[in-house]
Amino acid sequence: MTPADLSRTVLHAVRRAVDEDALRAPVPARVRVERTRPGGSGDYACAVALQLAGPAALPALEVARILRERVAAEPGVGRVEITGPGFLSFTLDAPAASDRAVLAAVREQGLAYGHGDALRDEIHQFHHAPEVRAAVTAQTVRRLLTAQGARVRTTCEQAPDPDWVRLGVTVDAHGTPPVPLTGIRPVPAGATAGELLERLGPDAARWGLLRAAGHDRAALGPELLVQGEANPLFRVRYAHARARALTRGAAALGFTAEAAAQGEGAAAPATHGESPAPYGEVHTEPAPSGAQAANADPAPYGEIGSGPAPYDAAARPLLDLIADHPGVLLAGARHRAPDRVARQLEAVAHAFFDFHDSCPPLPAGDEKPSAAHRARLALAEAAGTVLAGGLSLLGIRAPDHL
């Protein structure tokens, strides 16, 4: 169960309690679930009982008890506790099952992983100054909101700069709106779109304009073009390119990613000349025979047949970041903060390289591809998908070769 799944499960429990007349309160539009802070209980926590206590005219602890019994029986939820004044704390089922669900979601949704309909009932109209940073920010906020189901319209105070098109920016209209609209006014870039394109190119320019929070000055110097780990944009794009290279390398060695994330058997080996499985696809083969199974490598990383065994410690930060990605995209949309998405991608890239160096997804030397390599490759490909999808929302290319 992913954090987004858990949020929907809790919301469904609220609706059931209201429908059954166990709770008399308006059903909220959404329920926020957060990771438990250090020292807390369980994997995730939720304050919905405190939110509903007033409208329901009940103590928060009583509301929490009503919801606990309806959530505890849901698949994927191991334990539900009530802590403090009425917080619900959730412990999910064995990490391996939860991890497989996250990787399965990434495989199924591909670049749209993290998109949703949480804001489907919202309509936004943004108005921005005729300045490049405001234009790029407004257009990116529009992408984030649209990815969450909202409808968005943008307007500019004056006719748009023709160079904006080269930065991927379009506006619906320009001029003074008949009624005041929500303004997008970050600290100006101090340069025109043409100047930035000439110095940095579209990808580095967009990253520089979006990486800093709107109230901070954007860093738009030559460091954005440095091809080294000191440049966050390079690290993010190189992590994606490296993930794609791992897929190509595995195909050349005759194997593909482990499909156990969807509860299936081992992935079918790719034949030479066959295209490697693109992000979002799954290849499977029949389960091995008894003799084959007896000689097979033990299934690591929580694969089928390994029971509740957790992933290696080196994989944990990367798995957690991938699981948190939908929540980061939703928060970036709600707060009109593309910088949150950029920082998330930096964190994923950092965790990817730590994982890659500690748990190589490809065999070395005379080593044969094993179940461990297939599982590691699946995680590496999921990271690549998250990086590509996030860069796409920021309007930045994710090259397969770098």
Side-chain angles (χ1 to χ4, degrees), residues 220-283:
L220 297 166
E223 65 276 2
L224 289 169
L225 298 178
V226 173
Q227 301 294 291
E229 63 179 24
N231 177 5
L233 174 59
F234 174 82
R235 281 182 63 84
V236 169
R237 298 176 74 181
Y238 181 59
H240 168 263
R242 181 59 187 153
R244 296 300 284 142
L246 290 172
T247 299
R248 295 191 296 270
L253 292 172
F255 76 99
T256 58
E258 175 58 55
Q262 294 188 344
E264 299 170 0
T271 59
H272 290 288
E274 186 179 35
S275 298
Y279 294 152
E281 291 188 13
V282 179
H283 294 306

Coordinates of all heavy atoms in Angstrom, one line a residue, residues 220-283:
L220 N 21.4 31.6 -11.8 CA 21.4 31.4 -13.3 C 22.8 31.6 -13.9 O 22.9 32.1 -15.0 CB 20.4 32.4 -13.9 CG 18.9 32.2 -13.5 CD1 18.1 33.4 -13.9 CD2 18.4 31.0 -14.2
G221 N 23.8 31.1 -13.2 CA 25.1 31.2 -13.6 C 25.6 30.0 -14.4 O 24.9 29.1 -14.7
P222 N 26.9 30.1 -14.9 CA 27.4 29.0 -15.7 C 27.5 27.7 -15.0 O 27.7 26.6 -15.7 CB 28.8 29.6 -16.1 CG 29.2 30.6 -15.0 CD 27.9 31.2 -14.6
E223 N 27.4 27.6 -13.7 CA 27.4 26.4 -12.9 C 26.3 25.4 -13.4 O 26.4 24.2 -13.2 CB 27.3 26.6 -11.4 CG 26.0 27.2 -10.9 CD 26.0 28.7 -11.0 OE1 26.9 29.3 -11.5 OE2 24.9 29.3 -10.6
L224 N 25.3 25.9 -14.0 CA 24.2 25.1 -14.5 C 24.6 24.2 -15.6 O 23.9 23.3 -16.0 CB 23.0 26.0 -14.8 CG 22.2 26.6 -13.7 CD1 21.2 27.6 -14.2 CD2 21.5 25.5 -12.9
L225 N 25.7 24.6 -16.3 CA 26.2 23.8 -17.4 C 27.3 22.9 -17.1 O 27.8 22.1 -18.0 CB 26.6 24.8 -18.5 CG 25.6 25.7 -19.1 CD1 26.2 26.7 -20.1 CD2 24.4 25.0 -19.7
V226 N 27.8 22.9 -15.9 CA 28.9 22.0 -15.5 C 28.4 20.5 -15.5 O 27.4 20.1 -15.0 CB 29.3 22.3 -14.0 CG1 30.3 21.3 -13.5 CG2 29.9 23.7 -14.0
Q227 N 29.2 19.7 -16.2 CA 28.9 18.3 -16.4 C 29.6 17.5 -15.3 O 30.6 16.8 -15.5 CB 29.4 17.8 -17.8 CG 28.7 18.5 -18.9 CD 27.2 18.3 -19.0 OE1 26.8 17.2 -19.3 NE2 26.4 19.3 -18.7
G228 N 29.2 17.7 -14.1 CA 29.8 17.0 -12.9 C 28.8 17.0 -11.8 O 27.7 17.6 -11.8
E229 N 29.1 16.2 -10.7 CA 28.2 15.9 -9.7 C 27.9 17.2 -8.8 O 26.9 17.2 -8.1 CB 28.7 14.8 -8.8 CG 30.0 15.1 -8.1 CD 30.5 14.0 -7.2 OE1 30.1 12.8 -7.4 OE2 31.2 14.3 -6.2
A230 N 28.7 18.2 -8.9 CA 28.4 19.4 -8.2 C 27.2 20.2 -8.7 O 26.6 21.0 -8.0 CB 29.6 20.4 -8.2
N231 N 26.8 19.8 -9.9 CA 25.6 20.5 -10.6 C 24.4 19.6 -10.3 O 24.3 18.5 -10.9 CB 25.9 20.6 -12.1 CG 24.7 21.2 -12.8 OD1 23.7 21.6 -12.2 ND2 24.8 21.3 -14.1
P232 N 23.4 20.0 -9.5 CA 22.3 19.1 -9.3 C 21.5 18.7 -10.5 O 21.0 17.6 -10.6 CB 21.4 20.0 -8.3 CG 22.3 20.9 -7.7 CD 23.4 21.2 -8.7
L233 N 21.4 19.6 -11.5 CA 20.7 19.2 -12.7 C 21.4 18.1 -13.4 O 20.8 17.2 -13.9 CB 20.6 20.4 -13.6 CG 20.0 20.2 -15.0 CD1 18.6 19.6 -14.9 CD2 20.0 21.4 -15.9
F234 N 22.7 18.2 -13.5 CA 23.5 17.1 -14.1 C 23.3 15.8 -13.4 O 23.1 14.7 -14.0 CB 25.0 17.5 -14.2 CG 25.8 16.3 -14.7 CD1 25.9 16.1 -16.1 CD2 26.5 15.5 -13.8 CE1 26.7 15.1 -16.6 CE2 27.2 14.4 -14.3 CZ 27.3 14.2 -15.7
R235 N 23.3 15.8 -12.1 CA 23.1 14.6 -11.3 C 21.8 14.0 -11.6 O 21.7 12.7 -11.7 CB 23.3 14.9 -9.8 CG 24.7 15.0 -9.4 CD 24.8 15.2 -7.9 NE 24.3 14.1 -7.1 CZ 25.0 13.0 -6.8 NH1 26.2 12.9 -7.2 NH2 24.4 12.1 -6.0
V236 N 20.7 14.8 -11.6 CA 19.4 14.2 -11.9 C 19.3 13.6 -13.2 O 18.8 12.5 -13.4 CB 18.4 15.4 -11.7 CG1 17.0 14.9 -12.2 CG2 18.2 15.8 -10.2
R237 N 19.8 14.3 -14.2 CA 19.7 13.8 -15.6 C 20.7 12.6 -15.8 O 20.3 11.7 -16.5 CB 20.0 14.9 -16.6 CG 19.0 16.0 -16.5 CD 19.4 17.2 -17.5 NE 19.1 16.9 -18.8 CZ 19.4 17.7 -19.8 NH1 19.9 18.9 -19.6 NH2 19.1 17.3 -21.1
Y238 N 21.8 12.6 -15.2 CA 22.7 11.5 -15.3 C 22.2 10.3 -14.6 O 22.4 9.1 -15.1 CB 24.1 11.9 -14.7 CG 25.1 10.8 -14.8 CD1 25.5 10.2 -16.1 CD2 25.7 10.2 -13.7 CE1 26.4 9.2 -16.2 CE2 26.6 9.2 -13.8 CZ 27.0 8.7 -15.1 OH 27.9 7.7 -15.2
A239 N 21.5 10.5 -13.4 CA 20.9 9.3 -12.8 C 19.8 8.7 -13.7 O 19.8 7.4 -13.8 CB 20.2 9.8 -11.4
H240 N 19.1 9.5 -14.4 CA 18.1 8.9 -15.3 C 18.8 8.2 -16.4 O 18.4 7.1 -16.8 CB 17.2 10.0 -15.9 CG 16.4 9.6 -17.0 ND1 16.8 9.8 -18.3 CD2 15.2 8.9 -17.1 CE1 15.9 9.2 -19.2 NE2 14.9 8.7 -18.4
A241 N 19.8 8.8 -17.0 CA 20.5 8.2 -18.1 C 21.2 6.9 -17.7 O 21.2 5.9 -18.4 CB 21.6 9.1 -18.7
R242 N 21.7 6.9 -16.4 CA 22.3 5.7 -15.9 C 21.3 4.5 -15.7 O 21.6 3.4 -16.0 CB 23.0 6.0 -14.6 CG 23.7 4.8 -14.0 CD 24.8 4.2 -14.9 NE 25.4 3.0 -14.4 CZ 25.9 2.1 -15.1 NH1 26.0 2.2 -16.5 NH2 26.4 1.0 -14.6
A243 N 20.1 4.9 -15.3 CA 19.0 3.9 -15.1 C 18.7 3.3 -16.5 O 18.5 2.1 -16.6 CB 17.8 4.5 -14.5
R244 N 18.6 4.1 -17.5 CA 18.3 3.6 -18.8 C 19.4 2.7 -19.3 O 19.2 1.7 -20.0 CB 18.0 4.7 -19.8 CG 16.8 5.6 -19.4 CD 15.5 4.7 -19.4 NE 15.1 4.4 -20.8 CZ 14.6 3.2 -21.1 NH1 14.5 2.3 -20.3 NH2 14.1 3.0 -22.4
A245 N 20.7 3.1 -19.0 CA 21.8 2.3 -19.5 C 21.8 0.9 -18.8 O 22.2 -0.1 -19.4 CB 23.1 3.1 -19.1
L246 N 21.4 0.9 -17.5 CA 21.3 -0.4 -16.8 C 20.3 -1.3 -17.5 O 20.5 -2.5 -17.7 CB 20.8 -0.2 -15.4 CG 21.9 0.5 -14.5 CD1 21.2 0.8 -13.1 CD2 23.1 -0.4 -14.3
T247 N 19.2 -0.8 -18.0 CA 18.2 -1.6 -18.7 C 18.8 -2.1 -20.0 O 18.7 -3.3 -20.3 CB 17.0 -0.7 -19.1 OG1 16.3 -0.3 -17.9 CG2 15.9 -1.6 -19.9
R248 N 19.6 -1.3 -20.7 CA 20.2 -1.7 -22.0 C 21.3 -2.8 -21.6 O 21.4 -3.8 -22.4 CB 20.8 -0.5 -22.7 CG 19.8 0.5 -23.2 CD 20.4 1.5 -24.2 NE 21.5 2.3 -23.5 CZ 21.2 3.4 -22.9 NH1 20.0 3.9 -22.8 NH2 22.2 4.1 -22.3
G249 N 22.0 -2.6 -20.6 CA 23.1 -3.5 -20.2 C 22.5 -4.9 -19.8 O 23.0 -5.9 -20.2
A250 N 21.4 -4.8 -19.1 CA 20.7 -6.1 -18.7 C 20.2 -6.8 -19.9 O 20.4 -8.1 -20.0 CB 19.6 -5.8 -17.7
A251 N 19.6 -6.1 -20.8 CA 19.2 -6.8 -22.0 C 20.3 -7.4 -22.8 O 20.2 -8.6 -23.3 CB 18.4 -5.8 -22.9
A252 N 21.4 -6.8 -22.8 CA 22.6 -7.4 -23.5 C 23.1 -8.6 -22.8 O 23.6 -9.5 -23.5 CB 23.7 -6.3 -23.6
L253 N 22.9 -8.7 -21.5 CA 23.3 -9.9 -20.7 C 22.2 -10.9 -20.7 O 22.4 -12.0 -20.1 CB 23.6 -9.5 -19.3 CG 24.9 -8.6 -19.2 CD1 25.0 -8.1 -17.7 CD2 26.1 -9.4 -19.6
G254 N 21.0 -10.6 -21.3 CA 20.0 -11.6 -21.4 C 19.0 -11.7 -20.3 O 18.4 -12.7 -20.0
F255 N 18.8 -10.6 -19.5 CA 17.8 -10.6 -18.5 C 17.1 -9.2 -18.4 O 17.6 -8.2 -18.9 CB 18.4 -11.0 -17.1 CG 19.2 -10.0 -16.4 CD1 18.7 -9.2 -15.4 CD2 20.5 -9.8 -16.8 CE1 19.4 -8.3 -14.7 CE2 21.3 -8.8 -16.1 CZ 20.7 -8.1 -15.1
T256 N 15.9 -9.2 -17.8 CA 15.2 -8.0 -17.6 C 14.9 -7.9 -16.1 O 15.2 -8.7 -15.3 CB 13.9 -8.0 -18.4 OG1 13.1 -9.1 -18.0 CG2 14.2 -8.0 -19.9
A257 N 14.2 -6.8 -15.7 CA 13.9 -6.5 -14.3 C 12.9 -7.5 -13.8 O 12.1 -8.1 -14.5 CB 13.3 -5.1 -14.2
E258 N 13.1 -7.7 -12.4 CA 12.2 -8.7 -11.7 C 10.8 -8.1 -11.8 O 10.5 -7.0 -11.5 CB 12.7 -8.8 -10.3 CG 11.8 -9.7 -9.4 CD 11.6 -11.1 -10.0 OE1 12.6 -11.7 -10.2 OE2 10.4 -11.5 -10.2
A259 N 9.8 -9.0 -12.1 CA 8.4 -8.6 -12.2 C 7.7 -8.9 -10.9 O 6.5 -8.8 -10.8 CB 7.7 -9.2 -13.4
A260 N 8.4 -9.3 -9.8 CA 7.8 -9.7 -8.6 C 7.0 -8.5 -7.9 O 6.2 -8.7 -7.1 CB 8.8 -10.2 -7.6
A261 N 7.3 -7.3 -8.4 CA 6.6 -6.2 -7.8 C 5.1 -6.3 -8.1 O 4.3 -5.7 -7.3 CB 7.1 -4.9 -8.5
Q262 N 4.7 -7.1 -9.1 CA 3.3 -7.3 -9.3 C 2.8 -8.7 -8.9 O 1.8 -9.1 -9.3 CB 2.9 -7.1 -10.8 CG 3.1 -5.6 -11.2 CD 2.7 -5.4 -12.6 OE1 2.4 -6.4 -13.4 NE2 2.5 -4.2 -13.0
G263 N 3.6 -9.3 -8.1 CA 3.3 -10.6 -7.5 C 3.4 -11.7 -8.6 O 2.8 -12.7 -8.5
E264 N 4.3 -11.5 -9.6 CA 4.5 -12.5 -10.6 C 5.8 -13.2 -10.4 O 6.6 -12.9 -9.5 CB 4.4 -11.8 -12.0 CG 3.1 -11.1 -12.2 CD 3.1 -10.2 -13.4 OE1 4.2 -10.2 -14.1 OE2 2.1 -9.6 -13.7
G265 N 6.1 -14.1 -11.3 CA 7.3 -14.8 -11.3 C 8.5 -14.0 -11.8 O 8.4 -12.8 -12.1
A266 N 9.6 -14.7 -12.0 CA 10.8 -14.0 -12.5 C 10.6 -13.5 -13.9 O 9.9 -14.0 -14.7 CB 12.0 -14.9 -12.4
A267 N 11.3 -12.4 -14.2 CA 11.2 -11.8 -15.5 C 11.8 -12.6 -16.6 O 12.8 -13.3 -16.3 CB 11.8 -10.4 -15.5
A268 N 11.2 -12.6 -17.7 CA 11.7 -13.4 -18.8 C 13.0 -12.8 -19.4 O 13.1 -11.6 -19.6 CB 10.7 -13.5 -19.9
P269 N 14.0 -13.6 -19.7 CA 15.2 -13.1 -20.3 C 14.9 -12.5 -21.7 O 14.1 -13.0 -22.4 CB 16.2 -14.3 -20.4 CG 15.6 -15.3 -19.4 CD 14.1 -15.1 -19.5
A270 N 15.6 -11.4 -22.0 CA 15.4 -10.8 -23.3 C 16.4 -11.5 -24.3 O 17.5 -11.8 -23.9 CB 15.8 -9.3 -23.2
T271 N 15.9 -11.7 -25.5 CA 16.7 -12.3 -26.5 C 17.6 -11.2 -27.1 O 17.2 -10.0 -27.1 CB 15.9 -13.0 -27.6 OG1 15.0 -12.0 -28.1 CG2 15.0 -14.1 -27.0
H272 N 18.7 -11.6 -27.7 CA 19.6 -10.6 -28.3 C 18.8 -10.0 -29.5 O 18.2 -10.6 -30.3 CB 20.9 -11.2 -28.7 CG 21.7 -11.6 -27.6 ND1 22.4 -10.7 -26.8 CD2 22.0 -12.8 -27.0 CE1 23.1 -11.3 -25.8 NE2 22.9 -12.6 -26.0
G273 N 18.9 -8.6 -29.5 CA 18.3 -7.9 -30.6 C 16.9 -7.5 -30.2 O 16.2 -6.7 -30.9
E274 N 16.4 -7.9 -29.1 CA 15.1 -7.6 -28.6 C 15.2 -6.3 -27.8 O 16.1 -6.1 -27.0 CB 14.5 -8.7 -27.8 CG 13.0 -8.4 -27.4 CD 12.5 -9.6 -26.5 OE1 13.3 -10.2 -25.7 OE2 11.4 -10.0 -26.7
S275 N 14.2 -5.4 -28.0 CA 14.3 -4.1 -27.3 C 14.0 -4.4 -25.8 O 13.2 -5.2 -25.4 CB 13.2 -3.2 -27.8 OG 13.4 -2.9 -29.1
P276 N 14.8 -3.7 -24.9 CA 14.6 -3.9 -23.5 C 13.2 -3.3 -23.1 O 12.7 -2.4 -23.8 CB 15.7 -3.0 -22.9 CG 16.1 -2.1 -23.9 CD 15.9 -2.8 -25.2
A277 N 12.6 -3.9 -22.1 CA 11.3 -3.4 -21.6 C 11.3 -2.0 -21.3 O 12.1 -1.5 -20.4 CB 10.8 -4.2 -20.4
P278 N 10.5 -1.1 -21.9 CA 10.5 0.3 -21.5 C 9.8 0.5 -20.2 O 9.2 -0.4 -19.7 CB 9.6 0.9 -22.6 CG 8.8 -0.2 -23.1 CD 9.6 -1.4 -23.0
Y279 N 10.0 1.6 -19.6 CA 9.4 1.9 -18.3 C 7.9 1.7 -18.4 O 7.2 2.2 -19.3 CB 9.7 3.3 -17.9 CG 11.1 3.6 -17.6 CD1 11.6 4.9 -17.7 CD2 12.0 2.6 -17.2 CE1 13.0 5.2 -17.5 CE2 13.3 2.9 -16.9 CZ 13.8 4.1 -17.1 OH 15.1 4.4 -16.8
G280 N 7.3 1.0 -17.4 CA 5.9 0.8 -17.4 C 5.5 -0.5 -17.9 O 4.3 -0.9 -17.8
E281 N 6.4 -1.3 -18.5 CA 6.0 -2.6 -19.0 C 6.6 -3.7 -18.1 O 7.6 -3.5 -17.4 CB 6.6 -2.8 -20.4 CG 5.9 -1.9 -21.5 CD 6.3 -2.3 -22.9 OE1 6.9 -3.3 -23.1 OE2 6.0 -1.5 -23.8
V282 N 6.0 -4.9 -18.2 CA 6.4 -6.0 -17.4 C 6.5 -7.2 -18.3 O 5.6 -7.5 -19.1 CB 5.4 -6.3 -16.2 CG1 5.9 -7.5 -15.4 CG2 5.3 -5.1 -15.3
H283 N 7.6 -8.0 -18.2 CA 7.8 -9.3 -18.9 C 7.8 -10.4 -17.9 O 8.5 -10.2 -16.9 CB 9.1 -9.3 -19.7 CG 9.1 -8.3 -20.9 ND1 8.1 -8.2 -21.8 CD2 9.9 -7.3 -21.2 CE1 8.3 -7.3 -22.7 NE2 9.5 -6.7 -22.3

